[in-house]
Amino acid sequence: MNIFMMILVAVFMLGFYMISSPSQRVIEQETEYAINKSDLRSIAECASAQHNAQIKGTSFQDVCVEQNQIQSKFVCLNSSMRITSCEIVRNKKPEYTYIITATKEIEYEDYNNMLEIIEQYFPNAGSFGIFMDGKIMVGGTSGARVVPDAVIDEMELKNGQLVYLTQYEIPTEDTVFSAPVQSDIICPIGTIKTYRFGRWQCVGYNTKTDCGGDMIWDSELLTCVADESKKPLCAEQQTAVLVDSVWECINPFPEKTCPSGMVARLNYTTLEWECVTDPSVTTPTKKCESLNQGAIFGAVGTTIRVPSSSCTDCEIMVTNYDTCETSCIPDPSKINTPSCYPGDPDECTGASKGFYFGFPSYSYASKVSAIEGRSVPLDARHSQNRKFNCMDCGDSEIDEERSLPPYIIICK
């Protein structure tokens, strides 16, 4: 009997040792580590897939989005670093535009493992990491990316969230992209070929991106035309006119009585009639008996404004008496006029600030003798509003060799 009990005790002790032996605990710890790291990697992959879908304008439908509380947004800021609409309004777009994706908070002890996963599997993701005290901590030696305070408040970011941040620019019709030589792509119906993020892509029509104001995309003409559904109902003596891509009700005929030698002209800044010198009674100093003003163009089927003079309040009209043509050139003396520059001109000075004129096209700039031989920038950073604007280069400085204030300002 004693021998039988001793055998049972020996078997029991042997089994207990095998179960709780150090080698067995090592296997359990390694398995638990691998499972935890796999879960963290699935969170990062789900966030990356959701972020890429937001960039492409598609939807990523997977149960991991809801499980990890992943949200993705377009967030836009103005020049004052405040939240603004992600739209082009009257040909003016936001100063900063972001696509940001955030997950739920991860545990503090998992920070190092998550950073190792990002460094190993997402080395080219850019600003993809753990949010901590206003910064995105990324893997490797890339440092950290500061997140604007307005973006933090909009997304309600908290320490420990996995955040993916991409900055992009809303394209405009006047933006010219230099695409590398590559095979052409054929886009299906309902999409348009657009050069985005370094390659050609097929994206859906987006009126918020392609057209501004009261314009809408015409898939047959492949251009922006007036949206008749937004055309307002005007008073009896008024008519709807498209002014700077926005419908406005104006009086087609002047009600103002002007003295002899002057005619009524509609000021499109204040939409009020004013008396100006009648150009038809001006005695020509040379051989021209009639003047040819530049043609005014508009989209097919669109009502456009036809002013008495094609010049704005910020321009002066000059005449080439050899060709009998008139054209408008900037008038630097109007910088102090509120309709030409609404701010304080004395504040637009220094090594990083200066005035420039919003040239609408290269053909317009070619007629201004003051900038002859100069390169005029017509990009998204320079307005084409035919007014004087203040360029703030921020931390950079004005390129004095390429700039010519108050006509041209180019930052280094």
Side-chain angles (χ1 to χ4, degrees), residues 39-55:
D39 292 340
L40 294 176
R41 180 181 174 184
S42 66
I43 296 175
E45 290 177 344
C46 187
S48 177
Q50 173 69 10
H51 192 77
N52 291 333
Q54 187 79 356
I55 292 176

PDB file of all heavy atoms in Angstrom, residues 39-55:
ATOM      1  N   ASP A  39      -1.849  41.757 -32.923  1.00  0.00           N
ATOM      2  CA  ASP A  39      -3.015  42.635 -32.739  1.00  0.00           C
ATOM      3  C   ASP A  39      -2.645  44.088 -33.024  1.00  0.00           C
ATOM      4  O   ASP A  39      -3.415  44.829 -33.652  1.00  0.00           O
ATOM      5  CB  ASP A  39      -3.545  42.495 -31.309  1.00  0.00           C
ATOM      6  CG  ASP A  39      -4.168  41.127 -31.049  1.00  0.00           C
ATOM      7  OD1 ASP A  39      -4.522  40.464 -32.041  1.00  0.00           O
ATOM      8  OD2 ASP A  39      -4.294  40.741 -29.876  1.00  0.00           O
ATOM      9  N   LEU A  40      -1.468  44.509 -32.543  1.00  0.00           N
ATOM     10  CA  LEU A  40      -1.037  45.886 -32.789  1.00  0.00           C
ATOM     11  C   LEU A  40      -0.820  46.135 -34.276  1.00  0.00           C
ATOM     12  O   LEU A  40      -1.157  47.199 -34.810  1.00  0.00           O
ATOM     13  CB  LEU A  40       0.243  46.182 -32.010  1.00  0.00           C
ATOM     14  CG  LEU A  40       0.132  46.190 -30.484  1.00  0.00           C
ATOM     15  CD1 LEU A  40       1.498  46.404 -29.861  1.00  0.00           C
ATOM     16  CD2 LEU A  40      -0.847  47.254 -30.023  1.00  0.00           C
ATOM     17  N   ARG A  41      -0.248  45.159 -34.965  1.00  0.00           N
ATOM     18  CA  ARG A  41      -0.021  45.320 -36.406  1.00  0.00           C
ATOM     19  C   ARG A  41      -1.342  45.410 -37.164  1.00  0.00           C
ATOM     20  O   ARG A  41      -1.468  46.177 -38.121  1.00  0.00           O
ATOM     21  CB  ARG A  41       0.807  44.147 -36.931  1.00  0.00           C
ATOM     22  CG  ARG A  41       1.089  44.231 -38.432  1.00  0.00           C
ATOM     23  CD  ARG A  41       1.896  43.041 -38.915  1.00  0.00           C
ATOM     24  NE  ARG A  41       2.037  43.064 -40.359  1.00  0.00           N
ATOM     25  CZ  ARG A  41       2.623  42.113 -41.074  1.00  0.00           C
ATOM     26  NH1 ARG A  41       3.145  41.061 -40.462  1.00  0.00           N
ATOM     27  NH2 ARG A  41       2.704  42.195 -42.384  1.00  0.00           N
ATOM     28  N   SER A  42      -2.350  44.645 -36.736  1.00  0.00           N
ATOM     29  CA  SER A  42      -3.656  44.715 -37.405  1.00  0.00           C
ATOM     30  C   SER A  42      -4.288  46.086 -37.241  1.00  0.00           C
ATOM     31  O   SER A  42      -4.962  46.591 -38.147  1.00  0.00           O
ATOM     32  CB  SER A  42      -4.583  43.631 -36.854  1.00  0.00           C
ATOM     33  OG  SER A  42      -4.895  43.870 -35.489  1.00  0.00           O
ATOM     34  N   ILE A  43      -4.076  46.732 -36.069  1.00  0.00           N
ATOM     35  CA  ILE A  43      -4.588  48.093 -35.862  1.00  0.00           C
ATOM     36  C   ILE A  43      -3.918  49.065 -36.831  1.00  0.00           C
ATOM     37  O   ILE A  43      -4.565  49.904 -37.459  1.00  0.00           O
ATOM     38  CB  ILE A  43      -4.374  48.535 -34.406  1.00  0.00           C
ATOM     39  CG1 ILE A  43      -5.180  47.653 -33.454  1.00  0.00           C
ATOM     40  CG2 ILE A  43      -4.763  50.003 -34.227  1.00  0.00           C
ATOM     41  CD1 ILE A  43      -4.926  47.952 -31.983  1.00  0.00           C
ATOM     42  N   ALA A  44      -2.586  48.958 -36.957  1.00  0.00           N
ATOM     43  CA  ALA A  44      -1.852  49.860 -37.858  1.00  0.00           C
ATOM     44  C   ALA A  44      -2.264  49.628 -39.308  1.00  0.00           C
ATOM     45  O   ALA A  44      -2.442  50.590 -40.077  1.00  0.00           O
ATOM     46  CB  ALA A  44      -0.349  49.643 -37.689  1.00  0.00           C
ATOM     47  N   GLU A  45      -2.441  48.382 -39.724  1.00  0.00           N
ATOM     48  CA  GLU A  45      -2.824  48.101 -41.104  1.00  0.00           C
ATOM     49  C   GLU A  45      -4.236  48.598 -41.394  1.00  0.00           C
ATOM     50  O   GLU A  45      -4.524  49.101 -42.484  1.00  0.00           O
ATOM     51  CB  GLU A  45      -2.715  46.599 -41.363  1.00  0.00           C
ATOM     52  CG  GLU A  45      -1.286  46.076 -41.403  1.00  0.00           C
ATOM     53  CD  GLU A  45      -1.222  44.572 -41.591  1.00  0.00           C
ATOM     54  OE1 GLU A  45      -2.261  43.911 -41.387  1.00  0.00           O
ATOM     55  OE2 GLU A  45      -0.141  44.063 -41.953  1.00  0.00           O
ATOM     56  N   CYS A  46      -5.134  48.467 -40.429  1.00  0.00           N
ATOM     57  CA  CYS A  46      -6.505  48.952 -40.622  1.00  0.00           C
ATOM     58  C   CYS A  46      -6.531  50.474 -40.744  1.00  0.00           C
ATOM     59  O   CYS A  46      -7.231  51.031 -41.584  1.00  0.00           O
ATOM     60  CB  CYS A  46      -7.388  48.497 -39.458  1.00  0.00           C
ATOM     61  SG  CYS A  46      -9.149  48.858 -39.673  1.00  0.00           S
ATOM     62  N   ALA A  47      -5.751  51.161 -39.892  1.00  0.00           N
ATOM     63  CA  ALA A  47      -5.681  52.625 -39.967  1.00  0.00           C
ATOM     64  C   ALA A  47      -5.086  53.070 -41.297  1.00  0.00           C
ATOM     65  O   ALA A  47      -5.558  54.042 -41.908  1.00  0.00           O
ATOM     66  CB  ALA A  47      -4.851  53.169 -38.804  1.00  0.00           C
ATOM     67  N   SER A  48      -4.052  52.376 -41.777  1.00  0.00           N
ATOM     68  CA  SER A  48      -3.439  52.738 -43.062  1.00  0.00           C
ATOM     69  C   SER A  48      -4.412  52.526 -44.209  1.00  0.00           C
ATOM     70  O   SER A  48      -4.500  53.355 -45.126  1.00  0.00           O
ATOM     71  CB  SER A  48      -2.178  51.897 -43.274  1.00  0.00           C
ATOM     72  OG  SER A  48      -1.602  52.165 -44.532  1.00  0.00           O
ATOM     73  N   ALA A  49      -5.181  51.424 -44.181  1.00  0.00           N
ATOM     74  CA  ALA A  49      -6.154  51.163 -45.248  1.00  0.00           C
ATOM     75  C   ALA A  49      -7.258  52.212 -45.251  1.00  0.00           C
ATOM     76  O   ALA A  49      -7.682  52.691 -46.311  1.00  0.00           O
ATOM     77  CB  ALA A  49      -6.737  49.768 -45.076  1.00  0.00           C
ATOM     78  N   GLN A  50      -7.735  52.594 -44.080  1.00  0.00           N
ATOM     79  CA  GLN A  50      -8.767  53.626 -43.987  1.00  0.00           C
ATOM     80  C   GLN A  50      -8.240  54.973 -44.486  1.00  0.00           C
ATOM     81  O   GLN A  50      -8.938  55.722 -45.178  1.00  0.00           O
ATOM     82  CB  GLN A  50      -9.245  53.748 -42.540  1.00  0.00           C
ATOM     83  CG  GLN A  50     -10.198  54.910 -42.263  1.00  0.00           C
ATOM     84  CD  GLN A  50     -11.546  54.718 -42.920  1.00  0.00           C
ATOM     85  OE1 GLN A  50     -11.833  53.639 -43.419  1.00  0.00           O
ATOM     86  NE2 GLN A  50     -12.347  55.751 -42.941  1.00  0.00           N
ATOM     87  N   HIS A  51      -6.984  55.292 -44.152  1.00  0.00           N
ATOM     88  CA  HIS A  51      -6.374  56.559 -44.581  1.00  0.00           C
ATOM     89  C   HIS A  51      -6.216  56.597 -46.102  1.00  0.00           C
ATOM     90  O   HIS A  51      -6.518  57.612 -46.742  1.00  0.00           O
ATOM     91  CB  HIS A  51      -5.021  56.720 -43.891  1.00  0.00           C
ATOM     92  CG  HIS A  51      -4.436  58.092 -44.034  1.00  0.00           C
ATOM     93  ND1 HIS A  51      -4.865  59.175 -43.294  1.00  0.00           N
ATOM     94  CD2 HIS A  51      -3.451  58.573 -44.841  1.00  0.00           C
ATOM     95  CE1 HIS A  51      -4.172  60.235 -43.640  1.00  0.00           C
ATOM     96  NE2 HIS A  51      -3.304  59.908 -44.566  1.00  0.00           N
ATOM     97  N   ASN A  52      -5.731  55.510 -46.699  1.00  0.00           N
ATOM     98  CA  ASN A  52      -5.564  55.463 -48.151  1.00  0.00           C
ATOM     99  C   ASN A  52      -6.904  55.553 -48.869  1.00  0.00           C
ATOM    100  O   ASN A  52      -7.007  56.162 -49.946  1.00  0.00           O
ATOM    101  CB  ASN A  52      -4.839  54.173 -48.541  1.00  0.00           C
ATOM    102  CG  ASN A  52      -3.398  54.160 -48.087  1.00  0.00           C
ATOM    103  OD1 ASN A  52      -2.778  55.213 -47.942  1.00  0.00           O
ATOM    104  ND2 ASN A  52      -2.857  52.981 -47.821  1.00  0.00           N
ATOM    105  N   ALA A  53      -7.941  54.945 -48.287  1.00  0.00           N
ATOM    106  CA  ALA A  53      -9.273  55.049 -48.895  1.00  0.00           C
ATOM    107  C   ALA A  53      -9.771  56.480 -48.862  1.00  0.00           C
ATOM    108  O   ALA A  53     -10.408  56.955 -49.814  1.00  0.00           O
ATOM    109  CB  ALA A  53     -10.249  54.126 -48.150  1.00  0.00           C
ATOM    110  N   GLN A  54      -9.486  57.204 -47.782  1.00  0.00           N
ATOM    111  CA  GLN A  54      -9.887  58.612 -47.692  1.00  0.00           C
ATOM    112  C   GLN A  54      -9.161  59.445 -48.744  1.00  0.00           C
ATOM    113  O   GLN A  54      -9.746  60.344 -49.349  1.00  0.00           O
ATOM    114  CB  GLN A  54      -9.575  59.146 -46.291  1.00  0.00           C
ATOM    115  CG  GLN A  54     -10.095  60.543 -46.012  1.00  0.00           C
ATOM    116  CD  GLN A  54     -11.561  60.554 -45.697  1.00  0.00           C
ATOM    117  OE1 GLN A  54     -12.204  59.528 -45.768  1.00  0.00           O
ATOM    118  NE2 GLN A  54     -12.105  61.709 -45.395  1.00  0.00           N
ATOM    119  N   ILE A  55      -7.900  59.150 -48.992  1.00  0.00           N
ATOM    120  CA  ILE A  55      -7.133  59.881 -50.006  1.00  0.00           C
ATOM    121  C   ILE A  55      -7.708  59.624 -51.399  1.00  0.00           C
ATOM    122  O   ILE A  55      -7.839  60.533 -52.210  1.00  0.00           O
ATOM    123  CB  ILE A  55      -5.650  59.465 -49.952  1.00  0.00           C
ATOM    124  CG1 ILE A  55      -5.004  59.965 -48.645  1.00  0.00           C
ATOM    125  CG2 ILE A  55      -4.881  60.011 -51.155  1.00  0.00           C
ATOM    126  CD1 ILE A  55      -3.575  59.514 -48.466  1.00  0.00           C
TER     127      ILE A  55
END
